[in-house]
Amino acid sequence: MEEVVVAGGGVIGLSCAWRAAQAGHRVTLWDPAPTAGSSWVAGGMLAPVTEAWPGEEALLELGLESVARWPDFAAELAAAGRDPGLQTAGTVVAATGTGDRAELDALADHLARLGRSVDRLTGRELRRLEPALGPDVRGGLSVPADLSVDNRTLLDALRVAAEKAGVVVEDRAYAGEPAETLLICAGAHSAALHPALAGLVRPVKGEILRLAHRRGAFPVPGRTIRALVDGRPVYLVPRPDGLVVGATQSEQGFDTEPTVGGVRDLLRDAERIVPGIAEYGLTEVAAGLRPGSPDNVPLIGRLDERTIVATGHSRNGILLAPLTAELVVGALRGEPVPAAVEPGRFGRTT
Ligand code: GLY
C-alpha cells in the first residue's frame, strides 16, 4: 500500500484521507488552517436536484450518486465517534415574482424531462409545509430528496474518523514534502500545486451569514429553504440553533472580505422569504472561496505518476465528498475515473 500525502484538510481532503487510510494506505494530511477554508464557511446543502441546471446533466448524475451515499457515510462517521448532523427533512424552493416562478417552472420541466419529477406547490401549500414562509412566496417546489448536513460538525467528525483510521494530521501547509503519491485537495488554491491545474481551478467567492434563534422568535424551519427573489438566489439552511443564509457568487480573485452589498442582499432576500428572521441574532458574516472548474464538475483522477487531484467541486463539494473519496481510492488502486470528472478532459497534457 502506498504512502499518500494529502494537501488540504477541507471536507474533500479529510474524506479522501479517511477512506484512503481505511483502504490500508499510510496517509498524512497537511492543512495550515483546517477551519478557515470554504468547507468551514459553507451552508452544508446536499442538493443535487435543486442545484440542477440545464446543461449540467453530468453534475446532476454525480450529485445523485453521491447523495445516495450520504446516509451510510454519515452513519459510519457517527459510529467512528462523532455524528455529523445529517438533516433528512428535505428542501423546498420558493419563488416570489412572476419571473422567479417561470424560472422554477423551467427547472421543474427540465427535471421532468430527465425523469426526475418534483412536486410543484402553490404558495399556500408551501406555507402548510413550512409555516415560516412569508406571504410574498407565491409558489415553488418540494424536493424531499435534497438533504443537508452541519458542515462544521462534519469537519470535526471527519477529523475524528480520519485520525482513528490512522491519518496523521499536520496543521501546517504542504511544502513539497516527498511522497509516493501526492493527493491535491486544496480547493481554490489547488492550481498553485500542479502546472496541469493552472487556469482550471479558480476562486468563486460566496458570502454567507449565520443567524441564531432567539427566545420568542419564530421557530427554525425544518427544511432547507431555497428561493429566487427578483432573480437572486438565496438559501436558508436549518441548524439546531438557527439558520445559515447564503450565498452570493462573484469572482474577485482570492478576496474573502464580506461586502456591505452582499450582506444587504442576503438579509433583504432572506427576510422576504422568511420574515421571522428579523427576530434572530446575526452571529457571523463570512466569505469563502468555492473552487470553480470550467464546467462546474470536479476534477478527480491522476495528473501524473505520483499525483492525484480531487478539486474543482464548485458549489457541490460537501455533496460530492462521499463519491469523490470513493473515486480517489479507486484511482489509488489504478482504476479509471468516470470521463465526466477526468482531469484531462479539457485537453491539457499532464
Ligand atoms: N452550494 C451552495 C453554494 O455554493 O453556495
Side-chain angles (χ1 to χ4, degrees), residues 12 38-39 185-190 200-205 288-294 296-299 310-317:
I12 296 297
S38 58
S39 297
C185 302
H189 301 277
S190 298
L200 293 185
V201 187
R202 65 185 200 286
V204 180
K205 180 177 177 179
L289 300 172
R290 306 175 184 90
S293 79
N296 294 331
V297 176
L299 297 102
T311 189
H313 291 73
S314 305
R315 299 177 60 90
N316 295 293

Side-chain angles (χ1 to χ4, degrees), residues 43-45 51 206 208 226 235 246-249 290 314-317:
M45 284 183 296
E51 286 278 0
I208 198 158
R226 306 186 66 144
Y235 53 77
T248 59
Q249 186 153 318
R290 306 175 184 90
S314 305
R315 299 177 60 90
N316 295 293

Side-chain angles (χ1 to χ4, degrees), residues 28-121:
T28 307
L29 178 146
W30 297 77
D31 195 316
T35 57
S38 58
S39 297
W40 180 255
V41 175
M45 284 183 296
L46 310 173
V49 173
T50 51
E51 286 278 0
W53 293 101
E56 295 193 341
E57 288 74 20
L59 187 56
L60 173 61
E61 285 310 315
L62 293 169
L64 290 168
E65 277 191 45
S66 202
V67 80
R69 286 163 171 75
W70 255 99
D72 286 348
F73 192 75
E76 258 192 82
L77 286 172
R82 182 93 210 259
D83 187 327
L86 182 68
Q87 293 290 327
T88 56
T91 297
V92 293
V93 195
T96 49
T98 320
D100 298 330
R101 274 182 284 158
E103 198 155 331
L104 286 195
D105 275 340
L107 173 62
D109 290 343
H110 169 64
L111 289 165
R113 279 193 298 277
L114 297 175
R116 303 264 159 206
S117 295
V118 291
D119 294 334
R120 300 180 206 225
L121 303 181

Side-chain angles (χ1 to χ4, degrees), residues 39 54 64-65 80 82 128 143 152 155-156 159 194 279 343:
S39 297
L64 290 168
E65 277 191 45
R82 182 93 210 259
R128 216 172 289 139
V143 185
R152 293 182 176 179
L155 280 167
D156 201 25
R159 183 159 174 164
H194 197 285
E279 306 298 330

Side-chain angles (χ1 to χ4, degrees), residues 19-343:
R19 292 306 201 197
Q22 284 182 320
H25 298 285
R26 282 169 288 120
V27 185
T28 307
L29 178 146
W30 297 77
D31 195 316
T35 57
S38 58
S39 297
W40 180 255
V41 175
M45 284 183 296
L46 310 173
V49 173
T50 51
E51 286 278 0
W53 293 101
E56 295 193 341
E57 288 74 20
L59 187 56
L60 173 61
E61 285 310 315
L62 293 169
L64 290 168
E65 277 191 45
S66 202
V67 80
R69 286 163 171 75
W70 255 99
D72 286 348
F73 192 75
E76 258 192 82
L77 286 172
R82 182 93 210 259
D83 187 327
L86 182 68
Q87 293 290 327
T88 56
T91 297
V92 293
V93 195
T96 49
T98 320
D100 298 330
R101 274 182 284 158
E103 198 155 331
L104 286 195
D105 275 340
L107 173 62
D109 290 343
H110 169 64
L111 289 165
R113 279 193 298 277
L114 297 175
R116 303 264 159 206
S117 295
V118 291
D119 294 334
R120 300 180 206 225
L121 303 181
T122 62
R124 188 169 301 163
E125 288 168 330
L126 278 171
R127 270 185 291 281
R128 216 172 289 139
L129 275 183
E130 270 310 334
L133 292 170
D136 280 358
V137 172
R138 299 285 157 71
L141 312 172
S142 168
V143 185
D146 274 7
L147 315 178
S148 74
V149 69
D150 184 327
N151 52 305
R152 293 182 176 179
T153 314
L154 171 65
L155 280 167
D156 201 25
L158 279 167
R159 183 159 174 164
V160 168
E163 289 186 321
K164 201 167 173 184
V167 175
V168 175
V169 178
E170 298 279 357
D171 293 331
R172 287 182 286 144
Y174 172 72
E177 286 77 5
E180 267 178 79
T181 297
L182 170 65
L183 175 56
I184 299 175
C185 302
H189 301 277
S190 298
L193 295 179
H194 197 285
L197 298 174
L200 293 185
V201 187
R202 65 185 200 286
V204 180
K205 180 177 177 179
E207 289 146 315
I208 198 158
L209 315 174
R210 283 179 155 78
L211 311 185
H213 182 262
R214 282 157 47 94
R215 193 166 344 149
F218 205 91
V220 176
R223 296 166 179 75
T224 297
I225 298 172
R226 306 186 66 144
L228 281 175
V229 181
D230 301 333
R232 285 181 305 274
V234 64
Y235 53 77
L236 301 95
V237 192
R239 293 287 188 267
D241 54 354
L243 284 162
V244 181
V245 176
T248 59
Q249 186 153 318
S250 61
E251 302 204 19
Q252 299 161 8
F254 288 89
D255 167 27
T256 52
E257 185 171 37
T259 63
V260 172
V263 174
R264 174 205 59 214
D265 284 352
L266 288 174
L267 284 175
R268 182 192 53 209
D269 294 344
E271 193 184 356
R272 250 185 95 187
I273 300 300
V274 178
I277 64 163
E279 306 298 330
Y280 282 48
L282 174 58
T283 52
E284 186 180 327
V285 175
L289 300 172
R290 306 175 184 90
S293 79
D295 54 6
N296 294 331
V297 176
L299 297 102
I300 306 169
R302 200 162 274 285
L303 292 179
D304 61 36
E305 215 172 286
R306 59 169 291 270
T307 315
I308 292 176
V309 68
T311 189
H313 291 73
S314 305
R315 299 177 60 90
N316 295 293
I318 296 183
L319 165 66
L320 295 174
L323 179 64
T324 300
E326 208 174 293
L327 294 176
V328 162
V329 171
L332 283 165
R333 279 197 297 262
E335 293 167 10
V337 294
V341 301
E342 172 51 60

